[in-house]
Amino acid sequence: MNDTQTGTVENPAYVRAEMIPEQAPPATQVGVIKWLRENLFSSWANTLLTIVSVYVVYWIIGHIFGWTFFGIWDAGSLSECRAIRDERYGEGASVACWAVIADRWDQLMFGFYPSELYWRPVLAMVLFLVAIAPVLYDNLPRKMLFFTVVSPFLLVWILWGGSIWGPVCVALGFVLGWAVLSYGTALIGRLGATIAAILVPILYWLFAAGPISAALGSVAPIGLEAISSDEFGGFLLALVIGISSIVLSLPLGIALALGRQSDLFIINKSSVMFIEVIRGVPLIVWLFTASLLLNYFLPPGTNFDLMLRVIIMVTLFAAAYIAEVIRGGLAALPAGQYEGADSLGLDYWQSMRLIVLPQALKISIPGIVSTFIGIFKDTTLVVFIGLLDPIGFTNAIRASTDWNGIYWELFIFIGLCFFVACFSMSQYSQYLERKLRTDNR
Amino acid sequence: MADLSTNLVEQRQIDRSQMKVSDEIAIEMRDVNKWFGTFHVLRDINLTVNRGERIVICGPSGSGKSTLIRCINALEEHQRGSITVDGTLLSNDLKNIDKIRSEVGMCFQQFNLFPHLTILENCTLAPIWVRKTPKKEAEETAMYFLEKVKIPEQAMKYPGQLSGGQQQRVAIARSLCMRPRIMLFDEPTSALDPEMIKEVLDTMIQLAEEGMTMICVTHEMGFARQVANRVIFMDVGQIVEQNEPEEFFTNPKSDRTKLFLSQILGH
């Protein structure tokens, strides 16, 4: 402080005559040099640590890099692979034998799906991406959502094949429910129409859908070759189970979260009970229940597809977690938002749909996505009930004489595939959070 | 604070030509009682509000004034007595409640705008979904009211990008878009800086000048003096005193009112 420039205790009067212009900071305070100084070389101890760390990183990368990128891709068995290695890099060199992935690629991807029909899972994957795109990115044309609505039935038909009338008749059930709801409200009131819209499609599926599709099939036999669930395997299986459970568990989870918040006693208590029971038991127990116990409860002779049972169990399991994550979002919303919606005369469903859920879901995005990621990885547990997902195939592959003794390459490859899927989900959720941010933070 | 708002309001000439109290009853509360658990918040409230009245409710915190107006649009449920709004009896029937809510506008202390929607969407939401107004028409109405509260240029922004005073004016516009016959204000200026209080009070005065039936819970005594035709003082869940503003402020009858006024106007 300079006495001539600013006031002092003895003489507080001071008026600035001239404003100080902006100046550039000192050179040591900007750019790379500043960053290096502050982060790597701020003291001699840190300098030492930096040098040691750089060496360790170099050492690790040096080993992994060579092992990964000089790996052998063209061999029919592990012994052949080793022979090539010895010839190329000398006896006992440490390189990966990626040939196992090339050799067993089809199995790892499609399981026992007939090889001449591989175009069907591939087409299904492409159609799935087209269907999900307008849901993920709202700058795409909204008309694409029509395809999204149709796609579940289409994808099921492409993957499993059979008569096209099966999926069509199932889809008609939903149309029927919607029709009952929209035309019944005027006739029998809101509540009656809602109940009817649930009951009519169920009755239709139980008694009418089968005969109708059979009749249509005999009139116009349009269909693809039927593939049974036993033939699904590898990443196809993991993706079908994972994607179906993720897609189905979100709406169910929202319903359960709202149910748990409801003032209606029965709805509230049954939601709480469902969530606590499902969440309180390990997923593997539910999978065993699906594979073994359900058969005892079902009438003898019913053949209830194992894969479908697994999808249902994983969906219920995921829904219980999603419900709790969303409940957190609902609880985080200020009471004023509910009151604001109420005071404008919006009814319960309107205020949930327009005000509460958009905000609660936005708050819950990180939790929801991390549940999805967890569930997608947990689908590998199906190996314990005898389904051949990629992990299941590693066992089969390592048991074969050709590849007996290989493990790193397989697990790294599978890990990488799962990582790519999970990392994309995580990146998308961050994009979504940024996009939905409307405040000035 | 009270002095400040008195000054703010007195700077303005108030046009009283439209401020007419009619004989028609807008709200009637008969022996209304309410409990929070075992706590008796509202005790035997009897209040009749005629169309065109501008009522200010004041009182110490915890006296039940917010609860009282929140009972009028059923944000709080009363346990005994009856409330009739615009001829509709407030009961457990959800249809009646939704009908009353769409006729009665409300502004909150914390604005309660919807942060995920733009200002325009905030204003058009209820007309579109509750009144089934076509989108274009709802947007025109919204712009009309946003111009009225003097912030049409903010229509495409989000609430988080506006100042408190602007947000509260949007909240008022949002209520007005439903063309309510009655407006409730629950401490609309308590969360605002002094400078922003003026702009919100201006908007409220403008509404009063147009003959809106208003019930305001507020501590803005200047507003009460200039605009209200009746001031109600509440304490411990009951109406202690009510009178015309001039008489209420210069010649309070009850000791409790005198104490309250001396505390709020004294500094």
Side-chain angles (χ1 to χ4, degrees):
Chain A
M1 288 252 180
N2 188 333
D3 285 359
T4 59
Q5 279 194 4
T6 56
T8 60
V9 177
E10 296 82 39
N11 180 20
Y14 161 68
V15 178
R16 179 172 290 284
E18 202 176 344
M19 302 307 279
I20 302 170
E22 196 180 21
Q23 291 169 350
T28 52
Q29 289 304 305
V30 286
V32 182
I33 298 169
K34 179 191 181 215
W35 188 88
L36 285 175
R37 268 181 175 222
E38 280 184 359
N39 294 295
L40 299 181
F41 304 108
S42 60
S43 68
W44 67 266
N46 282 354
T47 308
L48 188 70
L49 281 175
T50 303
I51 292 167
V52 171
S53 317
V54 166
Y55 177 73
V56 169
V57 170
Y58 165 78
W59 184 81
I60 292 174
I61 289 181
H63 277 73
I64 293 180
F65 185 85
W67 186 82
T68 310
F69 290 97
F70 297 118
I72 291 152
W73 284 93
D74 44 353
S77 70
L78 188 58
S79 48
E80 204 178 310
C81 206
R82 285 190 177 139
I84 295 175
R85 178 196 64 186
D86 292 348
E87 186 191 319
R88 258 189 224 168
Y89 305 109
E91 193 100 355
S94 168
V95 290
C97 181
W98 298 117
V100 63
I101 289 155
D103 192 41
R104 299 300 184 100
W105 175 263
D106 289 348
Q107 257 183 1
L108 283 170
M109 288 296 141
F110 303 105
F112 300 115
Y113 209 89
S115 57
E116 70 278 11
L117 297 177
Y118 281 167
W119 62 270
R120 274 162 57 177
V122 173
L123 176 67
M125 189 69 206
V126 172
L127 290 180
F128 169 73
L129 292 177
V130 173
I132 197 120
V135 180
L136 299 185
Y137 300 99
D138 64 358
N139 46 6
L140 290 170
R142 295 292 83 195
K143 290 221 168 77
M144 285 174 76
L145 283 170
F146 287 112
F147 179 70
T148 309
V149 174
V150 180
S151 65
F153 307 101
L154 185 63
L155 293 180
V156 165
W157 179 61
I158 291 176
L159 284 174
W160 275 272
S163 162
I164 195 174
W165 300 112
V168 167
C169 288
V170 172
L172 279 177
F174 289 100
V175 177
L176 198 65
W178 173 80
V180 168
L181 187 64
S182 46
Y183 294 105
T185 311
L187 285 173
I188 46 178
R190 186 88 180 252
L191 185 69
T194 312
I195 294 170
I198 297 170
L199 281 182
V200 171
I202 290 178
L203 290 174
Y204 160 83
W205 282 320
L206 283 179
F207 301 109
I212 292 176
S213 83
L216 283 169
S218 60
V219 176
I222 307 169
L224 289 169
E225 188 184 330
I227 309 290
S228 100
S229 291
D230 304 339
E231 290 170 85
F232 283 62
F235 277 104
L236 174 60
L237 182 82
L239 282 173
V240 169
I241 297 179
I243 290 172
S244 333
S245 327
I246 284 174
V247 169
L248 295 172
S249 65
L250 187 61
L252 189 59
I254 293 174
L256 283 169
L258 292 179
R260 194 165 186 168
Q261 273 219 327
S262 167
D263 294 333
L264 305 171
F265 183 79
I266 293 177
I267 290 180
N268 179 311
K269 290 296 169 238
S270 49
S271 307
V272 171
M273 208 158 73
F274 179 89
I275 291 170
E276 296 301 339
V277 168
I278 294 276
R279 213 165 48 130
V281 177
L283 177 59
I284 190 73
V285 173
W286 290 120
L287 291 177
F288 276 121
T289 312
S291 78
L292 304 169
L293 292 177
L294 276 187
N295 274 355
Y296 293 110
F297 296 125
L298 292 170
T302 35
N303 181 21
F304 193 14
D305 194 280
L306 176 60
M307 199 162 144
L308 185 59
R309 281 184 268 164
V310 168
I311 289 176
I312 291 173
M313 276 304 177
V314 177
T315 301
L316 297 182
F317 192 77
Y321 274 88
I322 297 282
E324 285 300 278
V325 171
I326 293 175
R327 190 166 69 100
L330 291 172
L333 213 60
Q337 290 294 310
Y338 295 85
E339 288 173 359
D342 282 349
S343 73
L344 287 170
L346 296 172
D347 66 25
Y348 176 80
W349 291 110
Q350 287 171 340
S351 71
M352 286 300 136
R353 198 166 86 72
L354 301 166
I355 308 299
V356 175
L357 280 177
Q359 296 185 64
L361 289 178
K362 182 183 137 193
I363 301 172
S364 324
I365 290 172
I368 292 177
V369 172
S370 101
T371 308
F372 283 167
I373 289 176
I375 283 298
F376 184 58
K377 290 181 298 176
D378 284 352
T379 55
T380 50
L381 285 174
V382 298
V383 67
F384 290 110
I385 54 168
L387 290 180
L388 284 174
D389 81 325
I391 304 283
F393 267 110
T394 60
N395 294 333
I397 292 169
R398 289 185 305 128
S400 70
T401 45
D402 281 351
W403 296 107
N404 194 354
I406 201 160
Y407 47 98
W408 277 105
E409 289 83 350
L410 281 171
F411 288 118
I412 286 175
F413 172 70
I414 290 165
L416 195 67
C417 290
F418 273 103
F419 176 79
V420 168
C422 296
F423 187 67
S424 335
M425 282 195 252
S426 150
Q427 287 300 302
Y428 175 75
S429 90
Q430 286 178 30
Y431 155 82
L432 196 61
E433 277 178 68
R434 278 196 303 277
K435 197 187 76 173
L436 294 178
R437 184 176 293 164
T438 56
D439 50 7
N440 270 335
R441 250 188 302 162
Chain B
M1 194 164 91
D3 288 331
L4 178 73
S5 84
T6 310
N7 294 338
L8 291 177
V9 176
E10 276 171 357
Q11 283 164 8
R12 178 185 163 130
Q13 273 301 318
I14 292 174
D15 171 17
R16 293 175 182 279
S17 59
Q18 301 290 314
M19 288 193 190
K20 286 181 195 126
V21 177
S22 81
D23 295 338
E24 199 186 333
I25 291 172
I27 302 170
E28 187 165 35
M29 302 178 91
R30 283 270 152 271
D31 300 319
V32 172
N33 278 273
K34 175 172 178 59
W35 288 263
F36 281 133
T38 54
F39 176 59
H40 200 170
V41 236
L42 292 182
R43 307 181 188 177
D44 285 340
I45 300 290
N46 281 293
L47 176 65
T48 306
V49 181
N50 285 11
R51 195 160 297 296
E53 276 205 278
R54 297 144 329 261
I55 294 179
V56 164
I57 305 179
C58 59
S61 65
S63 58
K65 45 194 197 309
S66 286
T67 312
L68 183 132
I69 66 165
R70 287 160 61 88
C71 279
I72 295 172
N73 66 352
L75 286 183
E76 303 284 356
E77 200 183 341
H78 60 284
Q79 274 94 33
R80 204 189 292 158
S82 70
I83 301 177
T84 313
V85 182
D86 250 346
T88 312
L89 180 69
L90 197 59
S91 60
N92 283 331
D93 188 346
L94 286 177
K95 271 205 186 106
N96 280 355
I97 292 179
D98 283 338
K99 180 168 183 291
I100 286 174
R101 281 174 178 166
S102 62
E103 302 290 340
V104 178
M106 180 150 190
C107 288
F108 301 86
Q109 184 177 353
Q110 298 298 338
F111 330 132
N112 295 350
L113 294 177
F114 306 129
H116 63 302
L117 301 176
T118 61
I119 299 305
L120 189 64
E121 287 167 337
N122 263 282
C123 293
T124 54
L125 185 90
I128 290 175
W129 289 90
V130 179
R131 292 253 192 271
K132 314 289 178 204
T133 316
K135 189 170 179 226
K136 198 159 171 295
E137 198 186 318
E139 281 177 354
E140 279 163 14
T141 316
M143 287 314 292
Y144 169 77
F145 283 113
L146 284 175
E147 252 158 60
K148 209 159 166 177
V149 300
K150 303 190 182 72
I151 32 177
E153 72 282 0
Q154 313 282 9
M156 289 306 152
K157 289 193 182 167
Y158 286 95
Q161 298 165 319
L162 268 56
S163 74
Q166 290 174 325
Q167 289 194 44
Q168 191 60 289
R169 284 185 283 154
V170 171
I172 294 173
R174 179 177 76 176
S175 301
L176 293 178
C177 285
M178 288 293 280
R179 309 271 184 186
R181 310 185 66 183
I182 301 164
M183 281 291 290
L184 308 174
F185 292 88
D186 188 359
E187 308 206 20
T189 56
S190 301
L192 298 176
D193 292 342
E195 280 179 38
M196 298 172 179
I197 291 178
K198 180 184 180 322
E199 59 191 50
V200 171
L201 286 182
D202 265 345
T203 311
M204 289 168 65
I205 293 169
Q206 202 184 333
L207 263 185
E209 284 173 340
E210 287 164 12
M212 176 67 80
T213 311
M214 295 164 72
I215 304 183
C216 315
V217 171
T218 181
H219 293 124
E220 301 300 332
M221 291 304 143
F223 175 80
R225 254 174 211 269
Q226 297 293 312
V227 180
N229 68 314
R230 189 149 47 124
V231 180
I232 294 176
F233 174 68
M234 282 185 75
D235 193 22
V236 217
Q238 41 220 310
I239 295 176
V240 175
E241 184 164 351
Q242 55 170 312
N243 212 332
E244 295 184 331
E246 216 35 59
E247 191 67 9
F248 179 86
F249 287 111
T250 51
N251 190 15
K253 302 282 185 301
S254 133
D255 290 341
R256 188 66 195 86
T257 316
K258 284 175 194 161
L259 180 65
F260 176 76
L261 286 177
S262 73
Q263 277 167 345
I264 185 168
L265 298 173
H267 55 88

